[in-house]
Amino acid sequence: FLETAAYFCMKPKMGEKEVSPHSFFSIWHEFCSDFKDFWKKENKLILQERVKEAEEVCRQKKGKSLYNIRPKHDSGIVSKNCIDT
């Protein structure tokens, strides 16, 4: 624990000889909760951007027709009978 506190340059509060676990972990807890909140917000923004991109791709694909519709040509028994009469 003391090596970890020294790594993060924690200094003991006034009147204490060493860094107490309570003071270290209270700061660490605040950092972790803030980081978690920012992480969730950032993930939400990224998700919204990806949804917008996917919607745009769908909109573009709907604009382009994947198949061609050709006009119906009269060919068959019915059309031949109508012309002969």
Side-chain angles (χ1 to χ4, degrees):
F1 169 75
L2 293 177
E3 289 176 14
T4 305
Y7 177 79
F8 288 107
C9 301
M10 284 283 298
K11 295 181 181 177
K13 291 183 179 180
M14 290 178 57
E16 294 182 2
K17 294 180 181 177
E18 295 180 341
V19 176
S20 68
H22 176 70
S23 62
F24 179 80
F25 287 113
S26 65
I27 294 171
W28 187 255
H29 175 69
E30 289 177 31
F31 168 75
C32 290
S33 62
D34 289 345
F35 183 83
K36 184 177 99 176
D37 293 340
F38 285 118
W39 179 265
K40 285 182 178 182
K41 287 178 185 177
E42 190 65 27
N43 280 336
K44 193 174 184 178
L45 290 174
I46 291 171
L47 180 64
Q48 288 174 350
E49 289 175 7
R50 287 184 180 176
V51 167
K52 286 180 183 178
E53 290 174 3
E55 287 174 349
E56 184 63 31
V57 168
C58 287
R59 215 175 289 120
Q60 288 176 355
K61 285 189 177 186
K62 282 185 180 181
K64 294 179 183 177
S65 181
L66 299 177
Y67 50 88
N68 295 330
I69 300 173
R70 289 184 249 150
K72 184 177 177 182
H73 295 289
D74 289 335
S75 63
I77 298 173
V78 175
S79 63
K80 291 180 182 176
N81 286 340
C82 293
I83 295 173
D84 291 342
T85 349

